């Protein structure tokens, strides 16, 4: 239970076997390499070469994965992949695959296809642009070469102009009437009354007056349109030619896409396997690079869990007789990483601690302490027997169907499996089954439901509010006691009493006093509670003034410390969310049943609508309420509970492992 | 003046559903913008982004819940017909709706901003999801408290 004990290992071995040693360490998946303490420590020379060769392969794999994966349709759904439906391979098989695969050739092929596809795309977009220009030039009766190239004597231009400027342009060009014979103004048909955008005009004129024409055009607001020089025939001819070219290019593009797709189908599974392989090697070599080296001996240091020491020793010593493994306990000035070790009942809750911050190696692991509270709080927030059955059934089905779920994912799902049990229990004792489904649709079962009900948040919410706040007091006081224990463990007994036990006495005393006054406990509890509260308050008052020579300041500090009780009041009231969220799920369920009931009154199809509303509504309700029931109890752990004793701040244990992004790799 | 009580009560229900709903819509909108930004960099973060974006959505649900609570209390759901209500009772129900209406509205907007910041945080540090999800939940506390206040007030109001 708690943070796993680690050993610091120093492993000496002959240089010649460093690859086997590193592979063995990686395959155990339980050793975290410690970087050499010396800054420019002598690195094993051939490791640098191995790393750079491996990096080249990794670059190829990443390029292929980036380029081809978007074209790859995985035959296995993503959810199945996440739940462990992945190929199983061994490192030996991967090595063989890596040796038999010509990555360079695949990369070249992919690059060639990519380049070709780029060229076709450029041509295609050019052709499409030209064809869209042509569609505005239908009015022009002459070959476009007049504009793009001109003849010996004639030149031309094409431009756009506002319809209102057309008459002005005409008038201005009238001055060139002496050249009338060899010039012409062609204007696209337009309707002056409709204010429909610019009009295309073409001008054919003698080369001699080129400059004057352009000047006049600019003055009259004509903006030139660049006609690509590849267009020379008449508009109709060119359009026909372009249409042919476009369909040809499109066919070509489809062909290239199909080849890329085929290549992706063929290569992506291999590329994914190789990605894991080369990433594993990269991690391994970088681990070796952290070792120290002399002429012929290498030294690798790492942390390992003490319970795995023997099996790891046996594995390493089997490689070569020339290895020396020494194990030692962490020195006081070492800061070992922390790994949470909890039994099957608590392990699923590890993630809650890890999401906050790992404990330090010598700190307290809060997981077993928070687990029962989180379990109860989640149950109270979701609080519906029907929802619990759905969640439980779904998770059991997933576990039955998927046998190879990764341990981390499995633990997280198991957390919800556990919590569905508390949800069921609270659902039964609060009489909630898919909201008020029993009252609405299954009246014969009402007596059964009522017989099992212990609390009724609907008619007596104050009762559940009281339970919520009581749980809050227990949770907070438990946190205080843990903090006191932690201080005593480090020999700070005065601080433990002054800062922690005193508050425990004050708050528990006040609660007993209050509850006793309310008549819910025998009367002598009032006296006991009152006495506890007074003792607690006195300790707080005195402790706060400790070390302050000035009596006046002593008293001020004492009162200020007692004023801190408001924060406890806030903390305790925060637990009222347990009532509110449980109430929320129950009422949302009730609303869904109500809507379903109303829908059932629709003639003929009413029952169908009702079924859809009820099933869809409850699925929505489960999803939204699970989110709330996860987040809010978690907040109670992090803010209210951890605030009393836990800060985390440790570094998580990150052993050297095989990369398993796409495949399950066996050693 | 016969129906003034009923009208006041309905006005309360409308405020609860409408204001809290508006707040959630704005909050989710703010968070959604941030989520879209993060996902342009890394589309794989869709799952975490969606969870963080959904957080400011609960206020709208709380408002709806109170609105239904009121309608149910008034006997407007189902065929039973409305209960008789004097203007005093109507005003009491209206008052009971105000905590979730006002706090729901404002807290959802601020929760949306916190969610947006959290989404940007997981954009840079995906491993900080636990902390990212708690920060917006801190804001939601006050919506939960307002919901509780509204429920307790509504339960205390005697009608019929």
């Amino acid at each position: 239970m708690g943070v796993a004990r680690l050993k610091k290992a120093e492993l000496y071995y002959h240089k010649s076997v460093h690859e086997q040693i590193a592979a063995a360490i990686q395959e155990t998946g339980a050793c975290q390499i410690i970087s050499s303490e010396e800054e420019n420590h002598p690195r094993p020379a051939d490791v640098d070469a191995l790393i750079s060769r491996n990096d080249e392969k990794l670059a190829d794999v990443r390029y292929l994965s980036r380029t081809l994966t978007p074209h790859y349709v995985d035959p296995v759904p993503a959810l199945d992949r996440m739940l462990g439906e992945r190929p199983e391979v061994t490192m030996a098989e991967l090595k063989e695959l890596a040796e038999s695969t010509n990555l360079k050739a695949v990369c070249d092929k992919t690059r060639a296809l990519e380049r070709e596809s780029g060229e076709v795309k450029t041509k295609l977009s050019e052709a499409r642009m030209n064809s869209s220009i042509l569609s505005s030039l239908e009015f022009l009766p002459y070959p476009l070469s007049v504009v793009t190239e001109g003849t010996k004597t004639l030149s031309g231009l094409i431009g756009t102009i506002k319809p209102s400027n057309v008459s002005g342009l005409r008038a201005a060009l009238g001055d060139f009437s002496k050249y009338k014979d060899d010039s012409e103004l062609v204007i696209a048909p337009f309707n002056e009354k409709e204010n429909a955008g610019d009009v295309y005009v073409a001008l054919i004129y003698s080369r001699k007056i080129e400059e004057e024409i352009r000047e006049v055009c600019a003055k009259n607001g004509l903006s030139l349109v660049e006609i690509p020089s590849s267009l020379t025939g008449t508009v109709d001819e060119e359009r026909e030619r372009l249409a042919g070219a476009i369909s040809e290019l499109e066919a070509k593009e489809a062909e290239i896409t199909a080849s890329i797709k085929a290549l992706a189908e063929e290569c992506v599974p291999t590329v994914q396997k190789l990605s894991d392989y080369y990433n594993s090697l990269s991690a391994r070599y970088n681990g070796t690079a952290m070792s120290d080296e002399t002429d012929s001996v290498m030294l690798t240091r790492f942390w390992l869990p003490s319970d795995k020491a023997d099996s790891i020793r046996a594995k390493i010593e089997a490689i070569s007789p020339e290895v020396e493994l020494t194990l030692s306990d962490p020195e006081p000035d070492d800061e070992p990483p922390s790994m949470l070790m909890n039994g099957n009942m608590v392990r699923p809750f590890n993630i809650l601690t890890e999401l906050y911050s790992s404990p330090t190696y010598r700190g307290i692991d809060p997981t077993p302490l928070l687990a029962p509270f989180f379990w109860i709080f989640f149950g109270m927030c979701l609080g519906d027997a029907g929802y619990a059955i759905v969640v439980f059934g779904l998770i059991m089905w997933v576990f039955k169907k998927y046998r190879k779920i990764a341990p981390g994912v499995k633990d997280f799902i198991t957390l919800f499996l556990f919590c569905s049990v508390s949800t069921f229990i609270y659902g039964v004792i609060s009489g909630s089954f898919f909201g008020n489904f029993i009252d609405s649709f299954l009246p014969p079962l009402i007596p059964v439901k009522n017989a099992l009900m212990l609390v009724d948040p609907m008619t007596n919410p104050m009762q559940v509010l009281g339970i919520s706040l009581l749980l809050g007091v227990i949770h907070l006081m438990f946190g205080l006691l843990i903090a006191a224990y932690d201080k005593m463990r480090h020999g700070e007994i005065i601080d433990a009493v002054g800062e922690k036990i005193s508050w425990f006495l004050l708050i528990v005393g006040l609660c007993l006093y209050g509850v006793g006054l309310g008549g819910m406990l025998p009367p002598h509890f009032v006296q006991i509670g009152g006495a506890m509260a007074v003792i607690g308050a006195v300790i707080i008052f005195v402790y706060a003034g400790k070390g302050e020579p000035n009596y006046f300041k002593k008293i001020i500090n004492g009162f200020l410390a007692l004023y801190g009780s408001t924060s406890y009041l806030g903390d305790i009231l925060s637990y009222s969310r347990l009532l509110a969220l449980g109430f929320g799920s129950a009422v949302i369920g009730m609303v869904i049943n109500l809507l379903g009931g109303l829908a059932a009154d629709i003639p003929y199809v009413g029952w169908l609508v009702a079924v859809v509303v009820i099933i869809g509504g409850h699925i929505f309700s489960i999803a939204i309420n699970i989110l709330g029931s996860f987040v809010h109890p978690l907040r109670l752990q992090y803010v209210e509970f951890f605030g009393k004793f836990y800060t985390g701040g440790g570094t998580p244990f990150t052993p050297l492992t095989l990369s398993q992004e796409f495949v399950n790799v066996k050693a | 003046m016969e129906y003034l009580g009923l009208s006041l009560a309905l006005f309360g229900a409308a405020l609860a559903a409408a204001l809290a709903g508006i707040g959630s819509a704005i909050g989710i909108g703010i968070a959604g913008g941030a989520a879209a930004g993060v996902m342009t960099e890394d589309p794989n973060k869709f799952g975490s982004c969606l969870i963080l974006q959904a957080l400011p959505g609960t206020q709208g649900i709380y408002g709806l819940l109170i609105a239904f609570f009121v309608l149910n209390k008034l006997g407007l759901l189902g065929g039973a017909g409305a209960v008789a209500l004097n203007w005093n009772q109507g005003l009491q129900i209206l008052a009971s709706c105000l905590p979730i209406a006002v706090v729901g509205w404002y807290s959802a907007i601020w929760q949306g901003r916190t969610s947006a910041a959290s989404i940007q945080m997981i954009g840079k540090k995906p491993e900080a999801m636990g902390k990212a999800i708690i920060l917006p939940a801190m804001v939601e506390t006050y919506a939960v408290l307002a919901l509780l206040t509204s429920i307790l007030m509504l339960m205390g109001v005697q009608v019929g």
Side-chain angles (χ1 to χ4, degrees):
Chain A
M1 296 288 265
V3 184
R5 296 295 97 193
L6 299 183
K7 293 270 187 196
K8 188 179 196 176
E10 296 196 332
L11 178 63
Y12 299 86
Y13 48 95
H14 192 265
K15 235 178 185 176
S16 59
V17 292
H18 80 73
E19 285 197 55
Q20 289 99 303
I21 293 278
I25 291 177
Q26 188 175 31
E27 280 164 14
T28 64
C31 305
Q32 178 175 342
I33 310 271
I34 306 168
S35 188
S36 171
E37 285 137 26
E38 293 162 45
E39 197 127 296
N40 289 315
H41 64 101
R43 285 156 67 98
D46 63 331
V47 167
D48 285 335
L50 283 173
I51 290 178
S52 69
R53 198 148 20 122
N54 194 58
D55 282 351
E56 274 172 36
K57 296 280 189 189
L58 257 183
D60 283 348
V61 165
R62 286 195 186 125
Y63 164 74
L64 286 176
S65 164
R66 198 177 54 236
T67 320
L68 294 181
T69 310
H71 298 277
Y72 177 65
V73 183
D74 194 339
V76 181
L79 184 68
D80 288 15
R81 290 275 187 226
M82 208 177 77
L83 293 171
E85 285 303 306
R86 309 187 302 176
E88 302 224 350
V89 288
T90 63
M91 276 307 265
E93 284 167 4
L94 285 180
K95 188 167 184 229
E96 215 170 280
L97 181 70
E99 279 160 5
S100 66
T101 309
N102 189 347
L103 269 182
K104 274 273 167 285
V106 183
C107 280
D108 289 346
K109 203 168 166 189
T110 311
R111 284 208 181 88
L113 281 171
E114 245 195 336
R115 197 170 42 239
E116 213 178 327
S117 150
E119 279 165 14
V120 169
K121 280 207 172 83
T122 315
K123 281 186 193 159
L124 198 54
S125 77
E126 196 187 307
R128 286 199 176 119
M129 206 179 66
N130 287 348
S131 126
S132 88
I133 293 176
L134 285 177
S135 67
S136 323
L137 299 180
E138 275 168 344
F139 62 94
L140 191 69
Y142 308 111
L144 284 161
S145 58
V146 178
V147 178
T148 52
E149 293 163 10
T151 63
K152 207 177 281 178
T153 53
L154 290 179
S155 183
L157 61 81
I158 289 178
T160 58
I161 191 168
K162 285 207 179 76
S164 52
N165 290 347
V166 170
S167 52
L169 182 66
R170 258 191 228 282
L173 288 170
D175 296 347
F176 301 99
S177 49
K178 50 184 166 167
Y179 300 109
K180 181 101 180 130
D181 289 346
D182 35 351
S183 72
E184 187 176 353
L185 175 65
V186 191
I187 298 177
F190 68 98
N191 190 342
E192 248 175 290
K193 290 203 179 109
E194 278 173 40
N195 199 1
D198 291 357
V199 178
Y200 273 86
V201 282
L203 264 166
I204 317 289
Y205 45 80
S206 160
R207 279 192 187 278
K208 282 178 247 166
I209 51 165
E210 170 111 43
E211 273 178 35
E212 291 98 317
I213 292 274
R214 286 187 182 253
E215 213 170 287
V216 166
C217 287
K219 265 188 203 150
N220 284 281
L222 182 128
S223 40
L224 288 177
V225 173
E226 196 67 42
I227 304 297
S229 57
S230 60
L231 301 178
T232 50
T234 64
V235 173
D236 284 343
E237 281 165 23
E238 287 294 337
R239 287 183 82 179
E240 207 167 300
R241 187 178 66 79
L242 279 178
I246 287 173
S247 65
E248 210 170 283
L249 285 169
E250 277 172 346
K252 180 105 188 167
E253 192 187 25
E255 196 183 301
I256 294 170
T257 310
S259 334
I260 293 182
K261 224 173 152 53
L263 191 65
E265 291 293 333
E266 184 195 330
C267 298
V268 166
T270 309
V271 167
Q272 290 184 335
K273 281 181 191 162
L274 291 181
S275 164
D276 275 343
Y277 178 67
Y278 288 119
N279 275 313
S280 294
L281 287 189
S282 171
R284 179 187 297 176
Y285 296 149
N286 283 310
T288 309
M290 288 194 250
S291 311
D292 279 331
E293 179 187 66
T294 65
D295 284 342
S296 56
V297 175
M298 289 178 58
L299 163 61
T300 304
R301 299 179 190 79
F302 52 90
W303 296 110
L304 78 172
S306 48
D307 59 337
K308 295 219 173 113
D310 290 338
S311 65
I312 290 172
R313 178 190 288 280
K315 205 169 158 85
I316 289 172
E317 285 177 349
I319 291 170
S320 155
E322 292 167 334
V323 297
E324 173 64 27
L325 177 67
T326 63
L327 298 175
S328 57
D329 287 320
E331 304 282 326
D333 58 340
D334 276 335
E335 266 306 328
S338 66
M339 177 168 87
L340 300 183
M341 282 270 274
N342 286 304
N344 286 338
M345 294 305 285
V346 176
R347 203 182 54 243
F349 295 87
N350 281 354
I351 180 135
L352 303 180
T353 302
E354 284 158 359
L355 277 175
Y356 183 82
S357 176
S358 287
T360 55
Y361 180 69
R362 294 173 187 83
I364 293 178
D365 172 15
T367 316
L369 309 170
L370 69 79
F373 289 103
F374 184 85
W375 186 75
I376 296 173
F377 293 169
F378 187 101
M380 287 183 74
C381 288
L382 191 53
D384 188 287
Y387 294 176
I389 291 171
V390 171
V391 172
F392 188 88
L394 187 68
I395 294 175
M396 289 313 275
W397 175 79
V398 165
F399 282 169
K400 205 167 145 50
K401 179 154 185 242
Y402 302 98
R403 299 285 181 177
K404 296 183 288 185
I405 306 176
V409 179
K410 187 158 188 173
D411 278 351
F412 190 61
I413 301 176
T414 309
L415 176 64
F416 288 95
L417 186 73
F418 285 180
C419 288
S420 72
V421 176
S422 59
T423 305
F424 181 80
I425 296 172
Y426 187 75
V428 169
I429 63 177
S430 67
S432 184
F433 180 83
F434 292 107
N436 62 349
F437 195 82
I438 291 180
D439 297 79
S440 302
F441 304 108
L442 296 169
L445 289 179
I446 291 177
V448 182
K449 185 201 82 176
N450 288 345
L452 293 171
M453 265 172 82
L454 296 177
V455 294
D456 188 354
M458 287 295 168
T459 54
N460 191 0
M462 295 314 285
Q463 184 192 19
V464 182
L465 183 63
I467 294 172
S468 302
L469 299 184
L470 180 66
L471 280 172
V473 172
I474 295 172
H475 198 207
L476 290 172
M477 293 307 110
F478 186 52
L480 272 182
L481 290 182
I482 298 166
Y485 163 77
D486 196 31
K487 282 211 178 295
M488 286 183 188
R489 210 168 62 126
H490 292 100
E492 302 161 10
I493 294 177
I494 294 178
D495 290 338
V497 174
E499 282 174 21
K500 311 292 174 185
I501 302 282
S502 54
W503 282 107
F504 177 82
L505 288 172
L506 175 60
I507 290 162
V508 175
L510 281 178
C511 289
L512 290 178
Y513 184 78
V515 176
L517 276 188
M520 278 174 268
L521 282 173
H524 55 265
F525 274 92
V526 177
Q527 280 115 38
I528 296 175
M532 280 171 75
V534 170
I535 294 170
V538 168
I539 299 175
I540 293 165
F541 193 86
V542 173
Y543 178 81
K546 188 188 70 153
E548 179 58 66
N550 184 333
Y551 275 91
F552 181 67
K553 281 193 181 166
K554 255 187 203 301
I555 292 170
I556 297 275
N557 282 356
F559 278 114
L560 280 179
L562 282 175
Y563 185 71
S565 53
T566 53
S567 80
Y568 281 90
L569 185 68
D571 282 353
I572 293 170
L573 286 179
S574 179
Y575 288 80
S576 62
R577 76 186 68 228
L578 295 177
L579 163 68
L581 288 166
F583 209 94
S585 351
V587 176
I588 293 174
M590 199 177 89
V591 168
I592 292 162
N593 293 334
L594 197 80
L595 291 178
L598 292 179
D601 294 339
I602 302 169
Y604 305 115
V605 292
W607 61 272
L608 187 64
V609 180
V611 168
V612 170
V613 166
I614 289 174
I615 292 179
H618 283 301
I619 290 173
F620 166 78
S621 169
I622 290 174
I624 195 87
N625 282 310
I626 283 183
L627 181 59
S629 306
F630 180 76
V631 168
H632 284 279
L634 198 59
R635 174 227 143 98
L636 291 176
Q637 309 300 334
Y638 286 177
V639 180
E640 276 76 13
F641 189 54
F642 281 3
K644 299 288 166 288
F645 71 98
Y646 184 72
T647 48
T651 26
F653 183 66
T654 44
L656 176 65
T657 52
L658 295 168
S659 160
Q660 313 214 36
E661 201 185 339
F662 300 106
V663 290
N664 295 343
V665 187
K666 293 258 173 64
Chain B
M1 294 297 277
E2 189 188 345
Y3 291 110
L4 181 59
L6 187 62
S7 305
L8 285 171
L10 281 177
F11 187 53
L15 282 182
L19 292 187
I22 290 172
S24 277
I26 298 175
I28 288 190
I30 294 170
V38 165
M39 278 190 284
T40 49
E41 296 265 314
D42 182 1
N44 291 332
K45 295 212 172 79
F46 179 66
S48 342
C49 282
L50 192 70
I51 289 179
L52 287 169
Q53 195 199 352
L55 288 176
T58 34
Q59 279 86 343
I61 297 174
Y62 297 157
L64 178 79
L65 206 146
I66 290 298
F68 266 102
F69 211 105
V70 172
L71 295 184
N72 201 29
K73 206 172 175 77
L74 299 177
L76 290 176
L77 295 172
V83 296
L85 217 59
N86 62 36
W87 68 269
N88 235 318
Q89 291 166 322
L91 203 55
Q92 287 163 10
I93 288 181
L94 170 58
S96 311
C97 292
L98 291 182
I100 192 58
V102 177
V103 180
W105 174 29
Y106 252 77
S107 69
I109 296 172
W110 284 97
Q111 194 177 356
R113 293 188 185 173
T114 317
S115 276
S118 283
I119 286 169
Q120 306 218 337
M121 183 166 103
I122 62 154
K124 295 207 173 110
K125 289 183 176 245
E127 69 278 5
M129 183 65 187
K131 298 170 184 81
I133 210 169
I134 286 301
L135 297 180
M138 299 295 287
V139 183
E140 186 168 322
T141 299
Y142 303 98
V144 173
L145 295 181
L147 170 70
L148 193 64
T149 313
S150 284
I151 289 174
L152 294 178
M153 285 169 81
L154 271 179
M155 286 188 143
V157 176
Q158 301 296 324
V159 298

